[in-house]
Amino acid sequence: MNGRGRAGSAAVTLAAAGLLGGLVTAAPPASAAGSPATTITTVAGGPGRGLATRVWQTPEAVATGPGGVVYVADIAVVREFGITKTWERIAAGNGFVGHSGDGGPATKANLDAPGGLAVDAAGNLVIADTGNSRVRVVAAKTGTFYGQAMTAGDIYTVAGGGTAGLGDGGPATSAELDGPWGVAVDAAGNLVIADTGNSRVRVVAAKTGTFYGQAMTAGDIYTVAGDGTRGYSGDGGPATSAELNYPHAVAVDAAGNLVIADGDNDRVRVVAAKTGTFYGQAMTAGDIYAVAGDGTLGYSGDGGPATSAELNYPWGVTVDGAGNLVIADIFNNRVRVVAAKTGRFYGQAMTAGDIYTVAGDGIQGFSGNSGPATAAHLHWPQGVVVDGAGNLVIADTGTFRVRAVAARPGTFYGHVMNAGDIYTVAGTSTSGFSGNGGLAVNAELGSAMFQTPGSGVAVDAGNYVVAESNQAWFICETSGTYFGQPMTAGGIYTVAGDGTLGYSGDGGPATSAELNYPVGVTVDAAGNLVIADYGNSRVRVVAARSGTFYGQAMTAGGIYTVAGDGTRGYSGDGGPAASAELDGPVGVTVDAAGNLVIADGDNFRVRVVAAKTGTFYGQAMTAGDIYTVAGTGVFGYSGDGGPATSAELRSLGGVAVDAAGNLVFADAGNFRVRVVAARSGTFYGQMMTAGDIYTVAGDGKQGFSGDGGPATSAKLGSPDGVAVDAAGNLVIADTGTSRIRVVAARSGTFYGQAMTAGDIYTVAGDGNQGFSGNGGPATAARLYSPQGVAVDGSGNLVIADSGSEQVRLVSG
């Protein structure tokens, strides 16, 4: 860890989708001239909302506000719940990392690894937008704050221009900050900032006057501690001449003194607001003093003088109602207190100036709920605050939880609590998906902390199926019973996977089975869910109802392997599919004859499991056996215009079947979409011979070009997903350019655009990687590496927008 904080904010990658393709029964797109532009919306995914204890989060910092509200900084959002309101909501951020939204609704703004939080006297929420090197404010009411006219609920930058650097004495919004992590507001309303990367503490003056020994002008920014040199020096002298070392957090005590968590110095230090005795030391106004930590990284000293104790990177600091210093001693996995006076606090007898552990036993992990806080395991407690009832609220970052230590017996955050005991009040034990059984638009898809191959998307009678990481989820558009579960319209439900990466469960309930990066999904004609279980090198089926499918007796809701024996490799052609070796299947679909089509990714082949005995794709096939229909297994590019089984492929993505029965697949590594003709004829503007392979989009060079012209002359930027709509148009998730593109099957108007047969057009995404545009034209929206696409029964495009962790819909 460095002084920038844990900016672990990479969004999840959702890998190439196996799609429903030609099996979708969809209404043709509008063809009347003057059709309105298509619009885009989110139908599932986002930052997650619901009961605080059921929403995954990575708490970076906590703060309290009026009425018992608790705010939690979490990767790209700020969440809100409360002592009496356990239903969590989003206070700021749209869940996508970046910078946008100033002057508009806070919940539509982009944040980047928000760190420290504070609430000022007016109830405004102050956010250290660490990754953007800014401090921003969400207005609690309409008025003028920090020199700006603000509207209730909107967000504004009050310090920092977004460029990492330094600049004092001028307007705070023009100054450079460098990864500010901590914020506080003093009694005069001045904004105090731990400018972590600059190793300074700085103040934005709320009004013109003298503060911290300096004449200040309202709205301007000033250094009040630290000379900008990383190190340790200056105790007992002017704070502005002292060296700090990545200060992470700041607080202001009742006397107006600044309290600084001087992280890399393993100390907590104080800048005296006036001359007097504080924390057992005689202090001079404007000078700086160590009040906890001897500068040695480690753990020692409990029960003795705080200045003789060892700390291990004090990350968060606050001051409680009795004036005690509360320290998040992150790498000691403890919360510790320096007593302001002799007395009994947090269930312990304490002596003024001494230090005590009040939460955590020093063992990294999670344990101890409902028991004594000092016997519990914590994991990187990063932030700490004291709520209005005196309870300690801890951002226990490594366990993805917010935990509370009760100050007295009572009911808080929906729990009956005993004094001194610890309880989880927000967050779950695992990163990733949350919201099961709730509204799909309130659910989290994927993890903002960990890179995972993720999802395909498919459509089943208007319902959507999404696969990601280690589960498959069903987004229910029509209430009913699916895969053996009763479901309510608008809800999201796990239909396969128990959340653990691995392989288990065949023959039992799919929700109890282990999956290993399922990256492609489709739904067959019987409604069964077919999953490309990439990491297990298998194709598996979740039965929609009890019966015999793919030669096996299946029970509704159960999971079964139908191809692949779990050994990574290539073998088995001409024999039973369940005995064959696959190597990283990435896409699946089912053709009109019921044959299972597999993009066998790391074998660089497309393979088919025959549903019945007959001739398919130019080959005699036996029911239940597996056959290669495209690719030689050599990584490369060759073969267009000749037999598909003699062609070289590279980095396969999604696969679909069009209305003519042709196989369409994303040859992503060759920056092409290719077709294996099911019969001889003219398709996609080309004469084709049955069994031969042809490029229908992409010139083989990575990039973006060609809209409005022939698809085969256009550049694609890693096409990972494909689908075919009811009009026969080819739909491409062009992942590398963050666009959805369409190759017109015939001339007409589709997706609000006039199109010419064989030409290519962008129908969603403006080419800038990001998240924006909901409710507006799809072509003006930002997508973030869309890697799966399907078409629903109304002709809408359903997009697995990987980077934004959302499923989005473009009206057809």
Side-chain angles (χ1 to χ4, degrees), residues 674-738:
R674 302 172 81 178
V675 165
V676 179
R679 56 185 169 84
S680 298
T682 300
F683 309 101
Y684 305 100
Q686 298 182 48
M687 289 290 298
M688 298 187 181
T689 300
D692 286 357
I693 192 169
Y694 303 85
T695 293
V696 293
D699 66 359
K701 297 176 182 176
Q702 185 177 25
F704 172 73
S705 71
D707 269 2
T712 51
S713 301
K715 288 183 171 60
L716 303 177
S718 186
D720 278 344
V722 289
V724 181
D725 67 21
N729 302 309
L730 174 59
V731 186
I732 305 167
D734 195 10
T735 309
T737 70
S738 288

Short mmCIF file of all heavy atoms in Angstrom, two decimals, residues 674-738:
data_model
loop_
_atom_site.label_atom_id
_atom_site.label_comp_id
_atom_site.label_asym_id
_atom_site.label_seq_id
_atom_site.Cartn_x
_atom_site.Cartn_y
_atom_site.Cartn_z
N ARG A 674 -16.86 -14.34 -38.94
CA ARG A 674 -16.81 -15.30 -40.04
C ARG A 674 -18.05 -16.20 -40.03
O ARG A 674 -18.70 -16.36 -38.98
CB ARG A 674 -15.52 -16.13 -39.98
CG ARG A 674 -14.29 -15.22 -40.03
CD ARG A 674 -12.99 -15.96 -39.77
NE ARG A 674 -12.49 -16.63 -40.95
CZ ARG A 674 -11.34 -17.32 -40.97
NH1 ARG A 674 -10.62 -17.44 -39.86
NH2 ARG A 674 -10.93 -17.90 -42.08
N VAL A 675 -18.34 -16.77 -41.18
CA VAL A 675 -19.53 -17.59 -41.37
C VAL A 675 -19.15 -18.91 -42.02
O VAL A 675 -18.35 -18.95 -42.97
CB VAL A 675 -20.56 -16.85 -42.25
CG1 VAL A 675 -21.64 -17.80 -42.75
CG2 VAL A 675 -21.19 -15.70 -41.48
N VAL A 676 -19.73 -19.99 -41.49
CA VAL A 676 -19.67 -21.29 -42.16
C VAL A 676 -21.04 -21.54 -42.78
O VAL A 676 -22.05 -21.62 -42.08
CB VAL A 676 -19.34 -22.42 -41.17
CG1 VAL A 676 -19.30 -23.77 -41.90
CG2 VAL A 676 -18.02 -22.15 -40.46
N ALA A 677 -21.07 -21.64 -44.12
CA ALA A 677 -22.34 -21.77 -44.84
C ALA A 677 -22.96 -23.14 -44.59
O ALA A 677 -22.30 -24.18 -44.70
CB ALA A 677 -22.13 -21.55 -46.32
N ALA A 678 -24.25 -23.13 -44.27
CA ALA A 678 -24.98 -24.38 -44.06
C ALA A 678 -25.38 -25.01 -45.38
O ALA A 678 -25.52 -26.23 -45.49
CB ALA A 678 -26.22 -24.12 -43.21
N ARG A 679 -25.57 -24.16 -46.37
CA ARG A 679 -25.91 -24.64 -47.70
C ARG A 679 -25.38 -23.63 -48.71
O ARG A 679 -24.99 -22.53 -48.35
CB ARG A 679 -27.42 -24.81 -47.85
CG ARG A 679 -28.22 -23.55 -47.54
CD ARG A 679 -29.73 -23.82 -47.57
NE ARG A 679 -30.51 -22.71 -47.04
CZ ARG A 679 -30.87 -21.64 -47.74
NH1 ARG A 679 -30.53 -21.53 -49.02
NH2 ARG A 679 -31.59 -20.70 -47.18
N SER A 680 -25.34 -24.03 -49.96
CA SER A 680 -24.85 -23.12 -51.00
C SER A 680 -25.90 -22.07 -51.29
O SER A 680 -27.11 -22.36 -51.33
CB SER A 680 -24.50 -23.89 -52.27
OG SER A 680 -23.46 -24.81 -52.01
N GLY A 681 -25.44 -20.81 -51.47
CA GLY A 681 -26.36 -19.72 -51.73
C GLY A 681 -25.66 -18.39 -51.51
O GLY A 681 -24.43 -18.34 -51.37
N THR A 682 -26.44 -17.34 -51.54
CA THR A 682 -25.89 -16.00 -51.31
C THR A 682 -26.32 -15.53 -49.93
O THR A 682 -27.51 -15.45 -49.63
CB THR A 682 -26.38 -15.00 -52.38
OG1 THR A 682 -25.96 -15.48 -53.67
CG2 THR A 682 -25.79 -13.62 -52.14
N PHE A 683 -25.31 -15.22 -49.11
CA PHE A 683 -25.55 -14.76 -47.75
C PHE A 683 -24.61 -13.60 -47.45
O PHE A 683 -23.43 -13.64 -47.84
CB PHE A 683 -25.32 -15.89 -46.74
CG PHE A 683 -26.05 -17.16 -47.07
CD1 PHE A 683 -25.38 -18.22 -47.66
CD2 PHE A 683 -27.41 -17.27 -46.82
CE1 PHE A 683 -26.05 -19.39 -47.98
CE2 PHE A 683 -28.09 -18.44 -47.15
CZ PHE A 683 -27.41 -19.50 -47.72
N TYR A 684 -25.13 -12.59 -46.78
CA TYR A 684 -24.31 -11.43 -46.41
C TYR A 684 -23.60 -10.85 -47.63
O TYR A 684 -22.45 -10.40 -47.57
CB TYR A 684 -23.31 -11.80 -45.32
CG TYR A 684 -23.98 -12.42 -44.11
CD1 TYR A 684 -23.99 -13.81 -43.95
CD2 TYR A 684 -24.65 -11.64 -43.19
CE1 TYR A 684 -24.64 -14.40 -42.87
CE2 TYR A 684 -25.31 -12.23 -42.10
CZ TYR A 684 -25.31 -13.60 -41.96
OH TYR A 684 -25.95 -14.17 -40.89
N GLY A 685 -24.32 -10.91 -48.79
CA GLY A 685 -23.80 -10.31 -50.01
C GLY A 685 -22.73 -11.12 -50.71
O GLY A 685 -22.09 -10.62 -51.64
N GLN A 686 -22.53 -12.37 -50.29
CA GLN A 686 -21.49 -13.20 -50.90
C GLN A 686 -22.07 -14.54 -51.37
O GLN A 686 -22.94 -15.10 -50.71
CB GLN A 686 -20.36 -13.51 -49.90
CG GLN A 686 -19.63 -12.31 -49.37
CD GLN A 686 -18.50 -12.70 -48.43
OE1 GLN A 686 -17.70 -13.58 -48.74
NE2 GLN A 686 -18.45 -12.07 -47.27
N MET A 687 -21.54 -15.03 -52.48
CA MET A 687 -21.85 -16.39 -52.89
C MET A 687 -21.07 -17.34 -52.00
O MET A 687 -19.86 -17.22 -51.84
CB MET A 687 -21.43 -16.61 -54.35
CG MET A 687 -22.32 -15.88 -55.36
SD MET A 687 -23.98 -16.62 -55.45
CE MET A 687 -23.59 -18.27 -56.02
N MET A 688 -21.76 -18.30 -51.39
CA MET A 688 -21.12 -19.23 -50.47
C MET A 688 -21.42 -20.66 -50.86
O MET A 688 -22.49 -20.96 -51.41
CB MET A 688 -21.59 -18.97 -49.04
CG MET A 688 -21.26 -17.58 -48.50
SD MET A 688 -21.65 -17.42 -46.73
CE MET A 688 -21.17 -15.70 -46.42
N THR A 689 -20.49 -21.55 -50.54
CA THR A 689 -20.64 -22.98 -50.79
C THR A 689 -20.80 -23.69 -49.46
O THR A 689 -20.09 -23.39 -48.49
CB THR A 689 -19.39 -23.52 -51.53
OG1 THR A 689 -19.27 -22.82 -52.77
CG2 THR A 689 -19.50 -25.01 -51.78
N ALA A 690 -21.69 -24.62 -49.40
CA ALA A 690 -21.96 -25.35 -48.16
C ALA A 690 -20.67 -25.91 -47.56
O ALA A 690 -19.88 -26.54 -48.27
CB ALA A 690 -22.95 -26.48 -48.42
N GLY A 691 -20.45 -25.65 -46.26
CA GLY A 691 -19.29 -26.17 -45.56
C GLY A 691 -18.06 -25.31 -45.64
O GLY A 691 -17.07 -25.57 -44.95
N ASP A 692 -18.10 -24.28 -46.51
CA ASP A 692 -16.94 -23.38 -46.62
C ASP A 692 -17.07 -22.21 -45.65
O ASP A 692 -18.14 -21.94 -45.11
CB ASP A 692 -16.80 -22.87 -48.05
CG ASP A 692 -16.27 -23.94 -49.01
OD1 ASP A 692 -15.97 -25.06 -48.53
OD2 ASP A 692 -16.18 -23.67 -50.21
N ILE A 693 -15.96 -21.51 -45.43
CA ILE A 693 -15.90 -20.41 -44.45
C ILE A 693 -15.63 -19.09 -45.16
O ILE A 693 -14.89 -19.04 -46.17
CB ILE A 693 -14.82 -20.70 -43.38
CG1 ILE A 693 -14.94 -19.72 -42.20
CG2 ILE A 693 -13.42 -20.71 -43.97
CD1 ILE A 693 -14.10 -20.12 -41.00
N TYR A 694 -16.21 -18.02 -44.63
CA TYR A 694 -16.10 -16.70 -45.25
C TYR A 694 -16.07 -15.62 -44.17
O TYR A 694 -16.73 -15.75 -43.12
CB TYR A 694 -17.31 -16.44 -46.17
CG TYR A 694 -17.49 -17.48 -47.24
CD1 TYR A 694 -18.17 -18.66 -46.97
CD2 TYR A 694 -16.95 -17.29 -48.50
CE1 TYR A 694 -18.33 -19.63 -47.95
CE2 TYR A 694 -17.10 -18.27 -49.49
CZ TYR A 694 -17.78 -19.44 -49.20
OH TYR A 694 -17.92 -20.40 -50.17
N THR A 695 -15.33 -14.56 -44.43
CA THR A 695 -15.38 -13.38 -43.57
C THR A 695 -16.53 -12.50 -44.02
O THR A 695 -16.68 -12.20 -45.21
CB THR A 695 -14.06 -12.58 -43.65
OG1 THR A 695 -13.01 -13.35 -43.06
CG2 THR A 695 -14.17 -11.25 -42.92
N VAL A 696 -17.37 -12.07 -43.07
CA VAL A 696 -18.50 -11.21 -43.40
C VAL A 696 -18.39 -9.82 -42.75
O VAL A 696 -19.15 -8.92 -43.08
CB VAL A 696 -19.84 -11.86 -43.00
CG1 VAL A 696 -20.10 -13.09 -43.85
CG2 VAL A 696 -19.88 -12.21 -41.51
N ALA A 697 -17.44 -9.65 -41.84
CA ALA A 697 -17.18 -8.32 -41.27
C ALA A 697 -15.75 -8.27 -40.77
O ALA A 697 -15.25 -9.24 -40.19
CB ALA A 697 -18.14 -8.03 -40.12
N GLY A 698 -15.08 -7.13 -41.03
CA GLY A 698 -13.72 -6.93 -40.59
C GLY A 698 -12.72 -7.20 -41.70
O GLY A 698 -12.88 -8.14 -42.48
N ASP A 699 -11.69 -6.31 -41.74
CA ASP A 699 -10.65 -6.49 -42.77
C ASP A 699 -9.40 -7.13 -42.18
O ASP A 699 -8.37 -7.24 -42.86
CB ASP A 699 -10.31 -5.16 -43.44
CG ASP A 699 -9.65 -4.15 -42.49
OD1 ASP A 699 -9.48 -4.46 -41.29
OD2 ASP A 699 -9.32 -3.03 -42.95
N GLY A 700 -9.47 -7.54 -40.91
CA GLY A 700 -8.34 -8.21 -40.29
C GLY A 700 -7.40 -7.29 -39.55
O GLY A 700 -6.44 -7.75 -38.94
N LYS A 701 -7.67 -5.99 -39.59
CA LYS A 701 -6.82 -5.03 -38.90
C LYS A 701 -7.60 -4.42 -37.74
O LYS A 701 -8.75 -4.02 -37.90
CB LYS A 701 -6.36 -3.93 -39.85
CG LYS A 701 -5.50 -4.46 -41.00
CD LYS A 701 -5.14 -3.35 -41.97
CE LYS A 701 -4.32 -3.90 -43.14
NZ LYS A 701 -4.04 -2.84 -44.15
N GLN A 702 -6.97 -4.37 -36.59
CA GLN A 702 -7.64 -3.85 -35.41
C GLN A 702 -7.81 -2.34 -35.51
O GLN A 702 -6.91 -1.62 -35.90
CB GLN A 702 -6.85 -4.18 -34.15
CG GLN A 702 -7.55 -3.77 -32.86
CD GLN A 702 -6.77 -4.19 -31.64
OE1 GLN A 702 -5.56 -4.35 -31.69
NE2 GLN A 702 -7.46 -4.37 -30.52
N GLY A 703 -9.01 -1.87 -35.13
CA GLY A 703 -9.26 -0.43 -35.14
C GLY A 703 -10.74 -0.16 -35.30
O GLY A 703 -11.58 -1.03 -35.07
N PHE A 704 -11.04 1.05 -35.69
CA PHE A 704 -12.43 1.42 -35.98
C PHE A 704 -12.48 2.22 -37.25
O PHE A 704 -11.86 3.28 -37.37
CB PHE A 704 -13.05 2.23 -34.84
CG PHE A 704 -14.42 2.76 -35.21
CD1 PHE A 704 -15.51 1.91 -35.28
CD2 PHE A 704 -14.59 4.09 -35.56
CE1 PHE A 704 -16.76 2.37 -35.65
CE2 PHE A 704 -15.85 4.57 -35.93
CZ PHE A 704 -16.93 3.71 -35.98
N SER A 705 -13.21 1.70 -38.21
CA SER A 705 -13.44 2.42 -39.46
C SER A 705 -14.55 1.71 -40.21
O SER A 705 -14.94 0.60 -39.87
CB SER A 705 -12.18 2.47 -40.33
OG SER A 705 -11.90 1.20 -40.89
N GLY A 706 -15.06 2.39 -41.23
CA GLY A 706 -15.92 1.72 -42.19
C GLY A 706 -17.39 1.89 -42.03
O GLY A 706 -18.16 1.37 -42.86
N ASP A 707 -17.87 2.59 -40.99
CA ASP A 707 -19.31 2.74 -40.84
C ASP A 707 -19.91 3.36 -42.10
O ASP A 707 -19.39 4.33 -42.65
CB ASP A 707 -19.63 3.61 -39.63
CG ASP A 707 -19.82 2.77 -38.37
OD1 ASP A 707 -19.66 1.55 -38.44
OD2 ASP A 707 -20.14 3.36 -37.31
N GLY A 708 -21.01 2.75 -42.55
CA GLY A 708 -21.68 3.24 -43.75
C GLY A 708 -21.15 2.63 -45.02
O GLY A 708 -21.65 2.92 -46.11
N GLY A 709 -20.14 1.77 -44.91
CA GLY A 709 -19.58 1.10 -46.08
C GLY A 709 -19.56 -0.39 -45.91
O GLY A 709 -20.06 -0.93 -44.91
N PRO A 710 -18.97 -1.12 -46.87
CA PRO A 710 -18.97 -2.58 -46.82
C PRO A 710 -18.35 -3.10 -45.53
O PRO A 710 -17.24 -2.69 -45.14
CB PRO A 710 -18.14 -2.97 -48.05
CG PRO A 710 -18.29 -1.80 -48.98
CD PRO A 710 -18.34 -0.61 -48.09
N ALA A 711 -19.02 -4.06 -44.90
CA ALA A 711 -18.56 -4.58 -43.61
C ALA A 711 -17.20 -5.26 -43.73
O ALA A 711 -16.40 -5.22 -42.79
CB ALA A 711 -19.59 -5.56 -43.06
N THR A 712 -16.92 -5.88 -44.87
CA THR A 712 -15.65 -6.59 -45.02
C THR A 712 -14.48 -5.64 -45.21
O THR A 712 -13.32 -6.07 -45.16
CB THR A 712 -15.72 -7.56 -46.20
OG1 THR A 712 -16.19 -6.85 -47.36
CG2 THR A 712 -16.65 -8.72 -45.90
N SER A 713 -14.75 -4.36 -45.43
CA SER A 713 -13.68 -3.36 -45.54
C SER A 713 -13.50 -2.57 -44.24
O SER A 713 -12.61 -1.73 -44.14
CB SER A 713 -13.98 -2.37 -46.67
OG SER A 713 -14.10 -3.05 -47.91
N ALA A 714 -14.35 -2.84 -43.27
CA ALA A 714 -14.31 -2.10 -42.02
C ALA A 714 -13.29 -2.69 -41.06
O ALA A 714 -12.95 -3.87 -41.13
CB ALA A 714 -15.69 -2.12 -41.35
N LYS A 715 -12.79 -1.85 -40.16
CA LYS A 715 -11.93 -2.32 -39.09
C LYS A 715 -12.79 -2.58 -37.84
O LYS A 715 -13.66 -1.78 -37.50
CB LYS A 715 -10.84 -1.29 -38.77
CG LYS A 715 -9.76 -1.18 -39.83
CD LYS A 715 -8.68 -0.18 -39.40
CE LYS A 715 -7.49 -0.22 -40.35
NZ LYS A 715 -7.86 0.10 -41.72
N LEU A 716 -12.51 -3.68 -37.18
CA LEU A 716 -13.15 -4.01 -35.91
C LEU A 716 -12.08 -3.99 -34.82
O LEU A 716 -10.89 -4.16 -35.10
CB LEU A 716 -13.80 -5.39 -35.97
CG LEU A 716 -14.85 -5.63 -37.05
CD1 LEU A 716 -15.35 -7.08 -37.01
CD2 LEU A 716 -16.02 -4.67 -36.88
N GLY A 717 -12.53 -3.80 -33.60
CA GLY A 717 -11.59 -3.73 -32.48
C GLY A 717 -11.82 -4.85 -31.50
O GLY A 717 -12.22 -4.61 -30.37
N SER A 718 -11.60 -6.08 -31.91
CA SER A 718 -11.83 -7.27 -31.10
C SER A 718 -13.31 -7.54 -30.92
O SER A 718 -13.90 -7.28 -29.87
CB SER A 718 -11.17 -7.16 -29.73
OG SER A 718 -11.30 -8.37 -29.02
N PRO A 719 -13.95 -8.10 -31.96
CA PRO A 719 -15.37 -8.47 -31.84
C PRO A 719 -15.50 -9.72 -30.97
O PRO A 719 -14.97 -10.77 -31.32
CB PRO A 719 -15.78 -8.74 -33.29
CG PRO A 719 -14.50 -9.19 -33.95
CD PRO A 719 -13.40 -8.43 -33.28
N ASP A 720 -16.21 -9.61 -29.86
CA ASP A 720 -16.28 -10.75 -28.94
C ASP A 720 -17.64 -11.42 -28.89
O ASP A 720 -17.74 -12.56 -28.48
CB ASP A 720 -15.89 -10.30 -27.53
CG ASP A 720 -14.39 -10.24 -27.33
OD1 ASP A 720 -13.67 -10.82 -28.15
OD2 ASP A 720 -13.93 -9.61 -26.35
N GLY A 721 -18.70 -10.71 -29.25
CA GLY A 721 -20.03 -11.28 -29.20
C GLY A 721 -20.76 -11.08 -30.50
O GLY A 721 -20.56 -10.07 -31.19
N VAL A 722 -21.60 -12.04 -30.86
CA VAL A 722 -22.40 -11.92 -32.08
C VAL A 722 -23.82 -12.42 -31.82
O VAL A 722 -24.05 -13.25 -30.95
CB VAL A 722 -21.80 -12.73 -33.26
CG1 VAL A 722 -20.53 -12.10 -33.77
CG2 VAL A 722 -21.57 -14.19 -32.88
N ALA A 723 -24.74 -11.87 -32.57
CA ALA A 723 -26.13 -12.33 -32.57
C ALA A 723 -26.70 -12.03 -33.93
O ALA A 723 -26.12 -11.28 -34.72
CB ALA A 723 -26.93 -11.63 -31.47
N VAL A 724 -27.85 -12.62 -34.23
CA VAL A 724 -28.56 -12.35 -35.48
C VAL A 724 -29.99 -11.99 -35.12
O VAL A 724 -30.65 -12.71 -34.36
CB VAL A 724 -28.52 -13.56 -36.42
CG1 VAL A 724 -29.24 -13.24 -37.72
CG2 VAL A 724 -27.09 -13.99 -36.69
N ASP A 725 -30.47 -10.84 -35.62
CA ASP A 725 -31.83 -10.44 -35.26
C ASP A 725 -32.85 -11.07 -36.21
O ASP A 725 -32.49 -11.81 -37.13
CB ASP A 725 -31.95 -8.92 -35.17
CG ASP A 725 -31.80 -8.20 -36.50
OD1 ASP A 725 -31.99 -8.83 -37.57
OD2 ASP A 725 -31.53 -6.98 -36.48
N ALA A 726 -34.11 -10.80 -35.97
CA ALA A 726 -35.18 -11.45 -36.74
C ALA A 726 -35.20 -11.02 -38.19
O ALA A 726 -35.76 -11.72 -39.04
CB ALA A 726 -36.53 -11.17 -36.09
N ALA A 727 -34.61 -9.88 -38.50
CA ALA A 727 -34.52 -9.42 -39.88
C ALA A 727 -33.32 -10.00 -40.59
O ALA A 727 -33.09 -9.74 -41.78
CB ALA A 727 -34.47 -7.89 -39.92
N GLY A 728 -32.51 -10.77 -39.84
CA GLY A 728 -31.33 -11.39 -40.43
C GLY A 728 -30.08 -10.55 -40.32
O GLY A 728 -29.01 -10.94 -40.81
N ASN A 729 -30.18 -9.37 -39.70
CA ASN A 729 -29.00 -8.53 -39.54
C ASN A 729 -28.03 -9.15 -38.55
O ASN A 729 -28.44 -9.75 -37.55
CB ASN A 729 -29.40 -7.14 -39.03
CG ASN A 729 -30.37 -6.44 -39.96
OD1 ASN A 729 -30.15 -6.35 -41.17
ND2 ASN A 729 -31.48 -5.96 -39.40
N LEU A 730 -26.76 -8.98 -38.81
CA LEU A 730 -25.71 -9.48 -37.95
C LEU A 730 -25.36 -8.40 -36.93
O LEU A 730 -25.03 -7.27 -37.30
CB LEU A 730 -24.48 -9.83 -38.79
CG LEU A 730 -23.22 -10.24 -38.07
CD1 LEU A 730 -23.46 -11.45 -37.20
CD2 LEU A 730 -22.11 -10.52 -39.09
N VAL A 731 -25.45 -8.73 -35.64
CA VAL A 731 -25.17 -7.78 -34.57
C VAL A 731 -23.87 -8.18 -33.90
O VAL A 731 -23.68 -9.34 -33.52
CB VAL A 731 -26.31 -7.75 -33.53
CG1 VAL A 731 -26.08 -6.66 -32.51
CG2 VAL A 731 -27.66 -7.55 -34.22
N ILE A 732 -22.96 -7.21 -33.74
CA ILE A 732 -21.61 -7.48 -33.25
C ILE A 732 -21.31 -6.65 -32.01
O ILE A 732 -21.48 -5.43 -32.01
CB ILE A 732 -20.56 -7.14 -34.34
CG1 ILE A 732 -20.85 -7.88 -35.64
CG2 ILE A 732 -19.15 -7.44 -33.84
CD1 ILE A 732 -20.06 -7.37 -36.83
N ALA A 733 -20.88 -7.32 -30.94
CA ALA A 733 -20.33 -6.61 -29.79
C ALA A 733 -18.86 -6.36 -30.10
O ALA A 733 -18.02 -7.26 -29.97
CB ALA A 733 -20.48 -7.43 -28.52
N ASP A 734 -18.54 -5.14 -30.54
CA ASP A 734 -17.18 -4.79 -30.95
C ASP A 734 -16.45 -4.26 -29.71
O ASP A 734 -16.33 -3.06 -29.48
CB ASP A 734 -17.23 -3.75 -32.06
CG ASP A 734 -15.89 -3.62 -32.78
OD1 ASP A 734 -14.99 -4.45 -32.54
OD2 ASP A 734 -15.74 -2.67 -33.58
N THR A 735 -15.99 -5.21 -28.91
CA THR A 735 -15.51 -4.92 -27.56
C THR A 735 -14.43 -3.86 -27.54
O THR A 735 -14.46 -2.94 -26.72
CB THR A 735 -14.99 -6.22 -26.93
OG1 THR A 735 -15.98 -7.23 -27.07
CG2 THR A 735 -14.66 -6.02 -25.46
N GLY A 736 -13.45 -3.98 -28.42
CA GLY A 736 -12.31 -3.08 -28.40
C GLY A 736 -12.64 -1.65 -28.72
O GLY A 736 -11.87 -0.74 -28.35
N THR A 737 -13.76 -1.41 -29.40
CA THR A 737 -14.14 -0.02 -29.70
C THR A 737 -15.30 0.44 -28.83
O THR A 737 -15.79 1.55 -29.00
CB THR A 737 -14.52 0.14 -31.18
OG1 THR A 737 -15.76 -0.53 -31.44
CG2 THR A 737 -13.44 -0.38 -32.10
N SER A 738 -15.75 -0.41 -27.90
CA SER A 738 -16.88 -0.10 -27.01
C SER A 738 -18.11 0.35 -27.80
O SER A 738 -18.76 1.35 -27.49
CB SER A 738 -16.47 0.96 -25.98
OG SER A 738 -15.60 0.40 -25.02
#
